[in-house]
């Protein structure tokens, strides 16, 4: 009898153990709670864009769960800032994007279904404006200001968010390009130092490349695709053109063409 | 009255009183909200596992017992009906045995329900007050029906032998039907509470006061009916699996051939009901998923393509185990049926279809991939396997698996029978053709789905499902007609099953239970950091929704607690069967009945 009991216990515990182990072996994705966004009335466009980008990527996929696949919803990265003004006649880019977030049924892009949820149910007004700013930055000019936030109902409490990039008036030669490359997260995809890369060409392979080609590859990655990486086309973020100052871009291009040394 | 019966009533009564008093006392929590919410702490804490861990365990174990006590009466009345209308006393005995297990499990359900209520009111007092403000009247109704259901169960079980013949037997069966009606209404009410948290009505917003929410509108929300249907079927599956596990244990522990034969047969019935209901469960799941998308696309996408996307790969793995273990049990069972050997050569082909189906179903596709994974795959989807991970391939795989399992059942059923009707040959050909046509339709739409847009492709799944359902219906109807008065190739040798077949029943029960926990996590987890989706935010320190690994560990803990308690219930059930020793037995027999005693006085 005890033998039977032991065998039954072994089967039950073994089955539970296998299921638990399999579930712990697969990639672990936790859905974090979005942090509350607090922006001041004198918030800069860069600060808004940075906050919006974090929201766009979101925990567990964020907006990219639909806007990154191309079939569920339009791809927005890199282009929406330049096309938004033409979507609805008489509406500015800012107004259109705001409307698309809080009243998504008002205008639906042709070829897509009205599946976009009303984001005002889940996001604060500050978060919505920061998303508008981020989307404007995708190929267009950021026109959202602190005044837009101040005009909204919940108002802008006092506090500034993250430190913006502060290389504005610095000459390219004075910029630490290696540190910039690290801070931009290039090594997450491009082999660099100990980072294995594999999603894009290795940093070392860019040595000696034409400066114009490198410049274009950074600010408009869709223009050219490196040989051998065709299947990964579209993976490179389209935001560096907005994110980098002219001086930073030049410092980076020179650094890459020089073999990253 | 025997001592064991007294104990059962005591357990049941204690659980009932605890649950009802707990519920009624806490309905008053609604008053808290009317007072000053700012004076009440929003969240409590629980040692070691935290508040959410405590709620998770109490809710999950309560739901597992609830599923058992709702599922078992459903087939208890079906089995009793077979006994009544078929005149086979074995079925009546089996139904009573099911109900005996139910009696003890019922008190466990009530006790865990009360613990859940206490945990909610002490760990999430403000949110609980919010819920009771909206749902207070339905909670009173729930408590009242719970009492009515309990007494119906008393009558059903304790009146079994008294109302065992003639018209009284029909009355007894009617009690069983009533028991199911009460239980189903109770479940529907509770489903209203939990589905409100998942899909509140559109007019409810963050600034809507709870006393302004219409009760019926809150209950009749977007996912209420899909969950009701899904849970009814899932409860039948679950009840069948647990009964199958009970029978398997009793089979392994049996001392006589007669006992072994009885529990072999009981295990077969449990497995038949579990797998039979499982076959239609994916359709109910599809309906629920569709309603979730209809309610909120973002929620649907979070569920299927967002942070929960890997969950469905685990689900596919589990369902693969269920299909394989269920079919394995049937195939081994054919060894005790004279004439079944003629079907043995087909088993390997059915196994190939099932394994291939599981592989396709478990192929990841729309998941959040890390940069390393993208680099390893050479793209956002795998260059070759990515094509198998899309809905077209998965729908095709699961429908073919369902057809294959159905075929296993039909071969099992046909194994020892020789049809005597004149059209037997053409009927068999028609059955084969129906299954083949369904398989062709499923495959055709599966392939065609690659060449159309997503919205058209989704519509194809309806054609696939309809083809499978139509084929199954036609085959069953033909089979019933064809096997009327059929000759037998020999009696099924009940009890002559290898022990490994019984372990397959254990794997089935554990897997069903674990799957129930996983689906509970999916349903609850898609709310993410919301108590009520997009209405009331979870502001506790444990608001983040955990990844699948920690969730799986919690699920396993819940399953272990549940199965341990079920083992105790089985043991108690065994104690109730026989007297402790001979003297007691003699004593019981020697005591005259009240009628005899009165006659002699």
């Amino acid at each position: 009898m005890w033998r039977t009991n032991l065998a039954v216990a072994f089967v039950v515990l073994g089955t539970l153990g296998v299921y638990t182990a399999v579930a712990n072996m697969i990639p672990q994705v936790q859905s974090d709670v979005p942090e509350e966004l607090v922006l001041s009335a004198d918030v800069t466009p860069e600060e808004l864009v940075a906050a919006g980008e974090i929201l766009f990527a979101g925990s567990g996929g964020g907006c990219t769960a639909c806007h990154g696949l191309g079939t569920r919803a339009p791809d927005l990265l890199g282009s929406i800032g330049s096309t938004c003004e033409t979507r609805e006649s008489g509406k500015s880019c800012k107004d259109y994007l705001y409307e698309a977030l809080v009243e998504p049924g008002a205008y639906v892009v042709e070829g897509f279904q009205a599946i976009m949820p009303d984001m005002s149910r889940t996001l604060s007004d500050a978060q919505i404006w920061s998303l508008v700013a981020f989307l404007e930055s995708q190929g267009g000019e950021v026109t959202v200001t602190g005044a837009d936030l101040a005009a909204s109902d919940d108002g802008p409490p006092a506090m500034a968010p993250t430190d913006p990039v502060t290389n504005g008036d610095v000459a390219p030669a004075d910029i630490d390009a290696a540190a910039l490359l690290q801070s931009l997260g290039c090594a997450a995809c491009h082999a660099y130092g100990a980072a294995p890369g594999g999603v894009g060409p290795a940093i070392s392979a860019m040595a000696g490349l034409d400066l114009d080609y490198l410049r274009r590859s950074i600010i408009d990655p869709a223009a050219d695709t490196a040989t051998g990486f065709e299947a990964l086309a579209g993976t490179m973020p389209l935001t560096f053109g907005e994110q980098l100052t002219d001086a930073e871009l030049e410092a980076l291009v020179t650094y890459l063409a020089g073999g990253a040394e | 009255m025997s001592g064991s019966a007294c104990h059962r009533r005591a357990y049941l009564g204690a659980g009932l009183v605890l649950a009802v008093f707990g519920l009624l006392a806490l309905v008053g929590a609604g008053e808290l909200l009317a007072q000053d919410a700012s004076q009440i702490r929003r969240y409590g804490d629980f040692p070691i596992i935290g508040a959410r861990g405590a709620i998770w365990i109490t809710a999950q174990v309560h739901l597992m017992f609830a599923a058992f006590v709702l599922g078992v009466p459903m087939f208890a009345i079906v089995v009793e009906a077979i006994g009544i209308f078929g005149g086979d006393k074995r079925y009546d005995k089996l139904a009573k045995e099911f109900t005996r297990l139910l009696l003890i499990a019922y008190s466990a359900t009530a006790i865990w329900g009360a613990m859940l209520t206490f945990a909610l009111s002490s760990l999430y007092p403000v949110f609980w007050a919010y819920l009771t403000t909206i749902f207070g009247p339905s909670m009173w109704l729930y408590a009242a029906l719970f009492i009515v259901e309990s007494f119906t169960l008393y009558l059903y079980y304790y009146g079994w032998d008294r109302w065992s013949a003639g018209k009284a037997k029909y009355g007894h069966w009617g009690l069983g039907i009533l028991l199911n009606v009460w239980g189903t209404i109770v479940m529907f009410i509770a489903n209203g509470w939990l589905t409100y948290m998942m899909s509140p009505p559109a007019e409810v917003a963050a600034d809507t006061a709870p006393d302004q929410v219409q009760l019926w509108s809150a209950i009749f929300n977007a996912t209420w009916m899909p969950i009701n249907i899904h849970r009814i079927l899932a409860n039948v599956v679950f009840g069948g699996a647990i009964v199958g596990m009970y029978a398997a244990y009793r089979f392994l522990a049996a001392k006589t051939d007669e006992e072994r034969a009885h529990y072999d047969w009981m295990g077969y019935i449990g497995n038949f009901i579990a797998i039979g209901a499982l076959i239609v469960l994916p359709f109910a799941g599809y309906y629920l998923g569709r309603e979730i998308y209809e309610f909120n696309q973002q929620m649907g996408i979070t569920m299927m393509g967002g942070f929960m996307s890997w969950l469905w790969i685990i689900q596919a793995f589990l369902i693969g185990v269920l299909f394989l273990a269920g079919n394995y049990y049937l195939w081994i069972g054919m060894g005790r049926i004279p004439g079944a050997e003629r079907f043995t050569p087909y088993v390997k082909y059915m196994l190939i279809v099932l394994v291939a189906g599981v592989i396709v179903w478990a192929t990841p596709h729309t998941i959040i991939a890390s940069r390393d994974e993208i680099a390893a795959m050479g793209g956002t989807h795998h260059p070759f396997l990515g094509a198998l991970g899309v809905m077209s391939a998965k729908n095709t795989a699961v429908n073919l698996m369902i057809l294959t399992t159905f075929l296993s059942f039909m071969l099992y059923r046909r194994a020892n029978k020789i049809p005597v009707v004149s059209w037997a040959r053409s009927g068999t050909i028609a059955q084969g053709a129906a299954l083949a046509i369904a398989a062709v339709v499923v495959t055709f739409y599966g392939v065609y789905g690659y060449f159309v847009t997503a919205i058209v492709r989704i519509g194809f799944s309806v054609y696939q499902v309809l083809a499978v359902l139509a084929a199954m219906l036609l085959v069953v109807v033909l089979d019933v007609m064809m096997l009327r008065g059929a000759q037998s190739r020999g009696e099924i040798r009940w009890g002559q099953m290898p022990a490994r077949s019984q372990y397959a029943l254990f794997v089935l029960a554990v897997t069903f239970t674990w799957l129930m926990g996983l689906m509970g996590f999916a349903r609850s987890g898609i709310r993410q950091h919301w108590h009520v989706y997009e209405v009331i935010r979870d502001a506790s320190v444990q608001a983040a929704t955990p990844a699948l690994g920690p969730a799986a560990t919690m699920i396993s803990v819940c399953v272990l607690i549940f199965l341990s308690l079920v083992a105790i219930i089985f043991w108690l059930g065994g104690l109730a069967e026989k007297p402790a020793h001979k003297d007691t037995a003699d004593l019981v027999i020697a005591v005259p009945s009240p009628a005899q005693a009165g006659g002699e006085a």
Side-chain angles (χ1 to χ4, degrees), chain B residues 3-74:
Chain B
S4 59
C6 275
H7 282 126
R8 281 198 300 273
R9 287 185 195 193
Y11 293 139
L12 192 62
L16 188 64
V17 168
L18 193 61
V20 172
F21 271 85
L23 185 66
L24 297 188
L26 293 162
V27 164
E31 298 299 322
L32 286 175
L33 212 66
Q35 296 168 10
D36 186 357
S38 65
Q39 292 176 7
I40 306 165
R41 64 188 167 90
R42 289 192 74 181
Y43 299 104
D45 192 21
F46 195 88
I48 303 170
I49 55 174
R52 188 173 55 190
I55 293 289
W56 193 331
I57 291 174
T58 48
Q60 190 60 64
V61 177
H62 169 64
L63 281 170
M64 285 167 179
F65 274 113
F68 181 63
V69 301
L70 288 170
V72 169
M74 285 182 200

Side-chain angles (χ1 to χ4, degrees), chain A residues 1 5 7-8 13 16 19-20 23-24 26-31 33-34 60 66 72 115 117 121-122 189 199 231-232, chain B residues 204 249 253 297 301 307 318 321 368 371 373-374 378 503 506 511 514 528-529 534 537 544-545 547-549 552 556:
Chain A
M1 192 62 204
N5 287 337
V8 168
L13 292 175
L16 286 178
Y19 295 159
T20 311
N24 276 281
I26 61 166
Q28 301 294 308
V29 186
Q30 175 173 302
S31 172
V33 182
C66 292
R72 288 180 186 147
I115 64 171
R121 289 176 69 93
T122 52
C189 296
V199 177
L232 295 153
Chain B
V204 178
Y249 183 77
Q297 286 278 343
I301 289 161
F307 92 101
L318 292 172
V321 171
I368 298 172
R371 285 193 170 90
E373 289 160 349
I374 290 173
Y503 292 112
F506 276 100
T511 308
W514 209 88
Q528 297 178 283
H529 52 279
E534 296 186 351
R537 188 181 277 264
T545 313
L548 205 47
S556 291

